[in-house]
Amino acid sequence: MTKANPQPVAQRVEPQGPDGGYGWVMVGAMFFSYMLVFGVIRSLGVFFVAFVEYFEESAQAISWISSIGLAAVQFFSPLGTALCNAYGARPVVMAGGCLTGLGLILASQAKCLIHLYLTMGVITGMGWALVFTPMMATVMRCFTHRRSLAVSLGSTGSGIACFISTPLFQLLLDTYSWRGSLLILGGLSLNLVACGALIRPQGGSKTKTIQESKSSCSAFLWKVYSYLELSLLFERPFVTYCVAVTLLNTGYFIPYIHLVAHARQVGLSEYQAAFVISATGVTDIVGRVLSGWSADLGRVRLIHWHTLWTSLTGVVIVMLPVATLGGSYAGLVVFSLAYGFCAAALSPIIITVVPQIIGMDRMVGGLGLLMIIESIGALLGAPLSGFLKDYTGSYLTSFVLAGSFLLLGALVITTLPHFFSRTDPPPPRKCSTDGKKEAESAESGLMDNPAPNPDKLYPLETISYSETLPSCAETLPDQNHSLCS
Amino acid sequence: MLASWTRLPFQVILLLLSSTGINTKEAPETPGSPVVPGEPVRRSVVLKGKSHVEYVEVLKPVTYELQCTWTGTESKLPNITGFWKRNEGEIENSHVAVPLENNQYNLKREFSIVGDETLGNYSCVFDGVAKIDFIFAVPQMGEVHDKPIVSYVGDSVVLACKMEDTKPTPVTWHWYKPNGTDKALINSSLEHRYKITNDQKKTKLVVLGVEQSDSGMYYCGAVYEVGTSVSHTELRVISFMEPLKPFIAIVIEVIILVVLILLYEKSSKITPGDTDDGTNTEQTNQLTQGENSETSIRQRKV
């Protein structure tokens, strides 16, 4: 008797992705789109020398192109997620693909460096932002039990791009010079539109939340507030998490940037250092997939995995300069591989923890906000370590500082509510009881007790973290159903 | 000539300068001489095997005295013949009888290196079997662009040449453009399409408004007093149609993919009204769920 009932109730209480079927197509789309996005980002390194020669500018001026591009991706992420909330993921990703392609095609016609800053930096960066986070959010919506594995499999696209992109782009550069290569890369980036087309259209997610309001201006502002999920900024768990991830980010990228320089300084050859970097590409993929798979086993809470990997990465980074102190090549190899593994293991977990803290219905906007806030850490980290290197003469202090930032981030994570409980707490819900439909109340009226699985079902009255808003995104279960099956 | 004591500090400086590039096998070097081939520079090589090659970098006109010493074979004949070769051709009247002194054979000869024609390979040959080559050359440029530089019609292109930091600075640089099968010197003051920028050990040639006819091999020459060392770069000019073809192919592929995906979706639609107005979808779905639960309620009641 009770068999038919728990399912509809469960679907309405916690939006569950179907965990399979079309969801894996989504993972494939995420894989290809990440390959295209990160592949082109890495191509900027290959084009570097060609740009320096052609535009006769300094290396610093040229490296601003990639800095602007990366900053644009993170800065425009909330825009991407807000548009995703408003119009659904499909049009946003397709538009992002068009924008990226357009930026690169325009860049092929650049006559001066400023053109490149605007086209390859701003326009393409904005396009990437419209692809990156919505794609991730879509995959997360399609999975519940296999979420971490799906996200990690999808993001391995960036690791594969690392291998393919450099020889491919060198070939393009030799055949067509940088103008033709940028044109062709623009065409390749248009494939992002095809990746976006694979996303099934969903019903307007937040359009229902906008109620009749007094004037169009305040309705618009309310729309913006809601789409950007700015209400999250007033909640302690989210803010804590953002602070932790920002601290994490400050130290996270420093080895990527300074590893080669440090290795050279300690006395190792260029080829040795470069080989180690490419070897970390392999541990990157392995670490990512392993971490995603083991996180989904459910034995350890995601948040505990997060703390574990963060602390491990921090320790490894601190040990790195110590290991290479004597110019030891073996030490460099071991610790770089360990760093590649731990850092890659950490990255899918950072993302998949988010819906556990803020709930699935606000996940999309939350991801966008997280991206832009954590970018502060990334922006500060590299110049800070560079400054320390200039001040002390070696990279030792900057690596130690990077590791300590990571350990500090892990500490901050422990201040999240319910950190020390063994099972996951109920996810926060924005809905209050008055937002329900008749069907739900009929169901709950009939049943005395929810199904006996405390991990999966939660009492409908639970409003854990947030205040109630006058509307409720109860359409989410249906979205997931149409998105991923 | 001038008294040697005035030339002593000069010689010391030249000794310091010349000792950086030269690599002799064993014998120490005597100080280098200034411009006028007055006092010759001695280069000695001791050969233990069958052959040896010695590279000598020459910047200015110098007279060299080459000393070849050979230890001989097991059968140390008291007298063998030796002669000198230049660029694989025997130098006339250079055959001499070489006696065995201190268990060694010695050959010595002076050569004046004054210009491009005098550079090359000078060899001393012992008994027709043992050979020491002295290769006199201006400092050569190490890195050569073996890959052609690609440029587009109407665009500008930068060709660059660099002499290594360890090698001496050339007096000036010359650029040569392809002219049929030969090369012609570029005079940037006459042809405003070309801009040459020389900066010590680096040089840059900028060609503006590149045309198809500009394709070919460009030579940059590092000019020293005694000769020019030449390196080449190939320039390939292509029209913009070339990358456009793969680009259009890719765009067509994307369009086909997107159309296929959308068509597949439309044809295999199970749930109705997916792509239509979102609110209708919501309501329809809610209603269907409501109906389902209602029917199930009814069923349970029954």
Side-chain angles (χ1 to χ4, degrees):
Chain A
M1 171 188 120
T2 47
K3 238 187 209 165
N5 299 342
Q7 270 203 332
V9 179
Q11 262 193 339
R12 264 167 234 141
V13 174
E14 188 193 51
Q16 285 199 0
D19 262 319
Y22 200 73
W24 294 112
V25 179
M26 288 284 92
V27 173
M30 181 176 169
F31 179 84
F32 276 110
S33 48
Y34 273 35
M35 211 163 72
L36 287 168
V37 170
F38 287 97
V40 178
I41 291 180
R42 283 178 208 276
S43 81
L44 297 173
V46 179
F47 287 127
F48 190 81
V49 179
F51 286 151
V52 169
E53 277 178 8
Y54 183 86
F55 291 104
E56 299 176 308
E57 296 270 359
S58 72
Q60 202 185 27
I62 302 291
S63 53
W64 268 106
I65 301 176
S66 50
S67 309
I68 293 177
L70 286 170
V73 176
Q74 310 222 274
F75 185 74
F76 289 116
S77 272
L79 175 72
T81 51
L83 288 174
C84 195
N85 275 334
Y87 301 109
R90 171 187 260 195
V92 176
V93 176
M94 291 175 84
C98 290
L99 213 55
T100 315
L102 183 72
L104 287 170
I105 294 169
L106 287 177
S108 71
Q109 305 300 315
K111 292 281 182 293
C112 66
L113 206 53
I114 308 281
H115 290 176
L116 277 184
Y117 289 158
L118 287 175
T119 54
M120 224 167 149
V122 177
I123 299 181
T124 315
M126 206 190 312
W128 285 330
L130 291 180
V131 169
F132 184 72
T133 325
M135 203 73 226
M136 194 196 305
T138 312
V139 168
M140 297 241 279
R141 279 223 276 251
C142 284
F143 290 87
T144 321
H145 303 293
R146 301 256 196 92
R147 198 177 285 156
S148 303
L149 181 65
V151 168
S152 45
L153 279 177
S155 58
T156 51
S158 62
I160 305 282
C162 176
F163 289 122
I164 303 179
S165 62
T166 314
L168 176 69
F169 294 151
Q170 194 59 50
L171 181 68
L172 278 177
L173 203 59
D174 291 338
T175 322
Y176 296 115
S177 177
W178 63 269
R179 285 195 195 272
S181 309
L182 281 178
L183 184 70
I184 293 178
L185 281 181
L188 284 176
S189 297
L190 285 178
N191 280 302
L192 288 169
V193 179
C195 289
L198 280 171
I199 304 177
R200 293 266 168 80
Q202 58 194 84
S205 50
K206 301 281 182 178
T207 48
K208 285 199 71 167
T209 65
I210 303 310
Q211 312 204 316
E212 20 9 78
S213 197
K214 300 87 200 165
S215 69
S216 63
C217 179
S218 68
F220 177 72
L221 282 176
W222 176 249
K223 250 194 205 177
V224 170
Y225 180 81
S226 158
Y227 287 163
L228 282 173
E229 304 286 11
L230 289 175
S231 59
L232 282 171
L233 292 176
F234 301 111
E235 289 170 29
R236 209 197 106 209
F238 185 70
V239 174
T240 322
Y241 190 66
C242 281
V243 168
V245 176
T246 311
L247 284 172
L248 208 154
N249 247 17
T250 319
Y252 187 83
F253 294 104
I254 288 177
Y256 278 126
I257 305 174
H258 290 302
L259 190 61
V260 178
H262 170 71
R264 302 275 292 125
Q265 197 185 38
V266 173
L268 299 164
S269 82
E270 262 180 13
Y271 294 107
Q272 287 174 318
F275 168 73
V276 169
I277 300 289
S278 24
T280 54
V282 178
T283 48
D284 183 282
I285 296 174
V286 170
R288 222 175 266 265
V289 176
L290 258 170
S291 156
W293 173 78
S294 48
D296 281 328
L297 288 178
R299 304 265 163 77
V300 180
R301 277 181 65 199
L302 264 184
I303 199 81
H304 294 155
W305 276 118
H306 190 286
T307 323
L308 174 72
W309 290 122
T310 314
S311 329
L312 260 177
T313 316
V315 167
V316 168
I317 294 180
V318 171
M319 297 291 292
L320 231 165
V322 175
T324 57
L325 213 46
S328 154
Y329 185 49
L332 174 74
V333 171
V334 167
F335 278 95
S336 304
L337 293 181
Y339 165 71
F341 188 86
C342 295
L346 181 56
S347 45
I349 307 287
I350 296 182
I351 308 298
T352 47
V353 162
V354 172
Q356 285 200 345
I357 299 176
I358 60 176
M360 278 298 278
D361 43 358
R362 289 190 295 172
M363 172 197 66
V364 181
L367 279 176
L369 281 178
L370 181 67
M371 290 284 153
I372 190 173
I373 295 175
E374 73 171 18
S375 67
I376 300 172
L379 274 173
L380 288 178
L384 183 64
S385 90
F387 166 74
L388 276 175
K389 190 259 168 186
D390 291 334
Y391 194 68
T392 60
S394 89
Y395 287 103
L396 193 69
T397 16
S398 21
F399 275 83
V400 169
L401 188 74
S404 21
F405 267 118
L406 275 144
L407 291 170
L408 195 61
L411 261 176
V412 173
I413 290 282
T414 56
T415 64
L416 277 176
H418 302 283
F419 181 80
F420 292 103
S421 65
R422 285 216 62 218
T423 54
D424 283 319
R429 290 211 33 167
K430 225 167 64 165
C431 295
S432 54
T433 48
D434 45 341
K436 298 195 310 254
K437 292 283 182 184
E438 347 66 46
E440 279 183 278
S441 36
E443 287 304 313
S444 53
L446 265 177
M447 295 178 59
D448 352 318
N449 230 5
N453 194 350
D455 287 311
K456 299 290 183 287
L457 290 182
Y458 309 101
L460 294 170
E461 306 83 50
T462 307
I463 303 160
S464 25
Y465 297 112
S466 51
E467 321 135 23
T468 61
L469 288 172
S471 50
C472 173
E474 67 268 331
T475 58
L476 232 53
D478 311 307
Q479 282 167 39
N480 287 356
H481 191 76
S482 68
L483 254 184
C484 313
S485 57
Chain B
M1 330 293 161
L2 298 168
S4 48
W5 62 265
T6 57
R7 296 215 292 248
L8 185 58
F10 206 47
Q11 283 181 5
V12 170
I13 295 170
L14 279 174
L15 168 67
L16 289 169
L17 284 177
S18 57
S19 58
T20 48
I22 300 176
N23 42 346
T24 41
K25 203 100 182 145
E26 286 191 21
E29 251 204 289
T30 49
S33 65
V35 178
V36 176
E39 289 183 20
V41 179
R42 285 205 191 85
R43 284 299 278 269
S44 311
V45 173
V46 179
L47 177 65
K48 294 219 166 79
K50 275 276 158 60
S51 71
H52 173 70
V53 181
E54 184 86 0
Y55 293 95
V56 185
E57 234 174 50
V58 195
L59 297 176
K60 301 169 186 280
V62 182
T63 306
Y64 271 95
E65 186 191 82
L66 299 179
Q67 253 178 11
C68 298
T69 309
W70 187 41
T71 49
T73 53
E74 282 99 38
S75 55
K76 306 252 177 177
L77 299 169
N79 266 311
I80 58 167
T81 46
F83 63 94
W84 291 87
K85 283 207 306 195
R86 193 179 154 241
N87 290 334
E88 302 311 317
E90 269 188 42
I91 298 176
E92 287 181 14
N93 304 328
S94 62
H95 280 256
V96 282
V98 183
L100 185 64
E101 295 164 16
N102 300 329
N103 227 9
Q104 284 175 334
Y105 301 99
N106 288 305
L107 266 180
K108 212 195 302 193
R109 196 183 174 97
E110 265 190 27
F111 296 98
S112 286
I113 311 292
V114 289
D116 232 336
E117 342 59 60
T118 53
L119 293 171
N121 184 356
Y122 292 84
S123 322
C124 56
V125 185
F126 289 98
D127 213 9
V129 290
K131 187 165 80 127
I132 301 176
D133 292 308
F134 292 87
I135 300 185
F136 289 96
V138 275
Q140 298 296 313
M141 280 178 266
E143 42 173 280
V144 179
H145 276 235
D146 46 355
K147 288 187 280 202
I149 294 185
V150 179
S151 183
Y152 292 95
V153 175
D155 202 0
S156 66
V157 68
V158 178
L159 302 170
C161 271
K162 197 172 80 125
M163 178 60 74
E164 271 118 46
D165 285 331
T166 49
K167 303 236 171 109
T169 311
V171 174
T172 184
W173 290 89
H174 283 162
W175 279 94
Y176 300 89
K177 67 172 175 188
N179 184 5
T181 45
D182 203 3
K183 50 186 200 260
L185 186 66
I186 299 175
N187 191 339
S188 55
S189 47
L190 288 180
E191 300 166 86
H192 294 284
R193 263 201 333 137
Y194 300 98
K195 282 199 181 46
I196 300 180
T197 334
N198 297 331
D199 178 25
Q200 298 292 323
K201 295 205 169 99
K202 295 189 220 159
T203 182
K204 261 198 300 224
L205 171 71
V206 181
V207 187
L208 304 165
V210 168
E211 292 150 20
Q212 279 282 359
S213 54
D214 286 326
S215 303
M217 204 65 99
Y218 282 76
Y219 296 89
C220 61
V223 179
Y224 293 93
E225 275 184 54
V226 79
T228 309
S229 123
V230 169
S231 173
H232 59 89
T233 321
E234 193 190 334
L235 177 67
R236 239 186 61 184
V237 182
I238 57 178
S239 79
F240 214 72
M241 299 310 290
E242 282 208 30
L244 209 59
K245 285 181 255 173
F247 172 72
I248 293 183
I250 296 174
V251 171
I252 292 177
E253 168 251 324
V254 171
I255 295 176
I256 292 177
L257 263 181
V258 174
V259 166
L260 276 178
I261 292 173
L262 292 175
L263 279 179
Y264 178 73
E265 219 178 272
K266 275 206 162 50
S267 67
S268 68
K269 253 211 287 272
I270 306 166
T271 44
D274 264 344
T275 44
D276 294 349
D277 183 20
T279 38
N280 282 343
T281 321
E282 251 61 76
Q283 290 166 0
T284 344
N285 281 343
Q286 289 298 334
L287 280 172
T288 22
Q289 282 199 351
E291 281 162 11
N292 284 339
S293 38
E294 274 174 296
T295 44
S296 54
I297 293 169
R298 273 183 241 120
Q299 280 169 2
R300 265 178 281 122
K301 272 188 177 163
V302 166

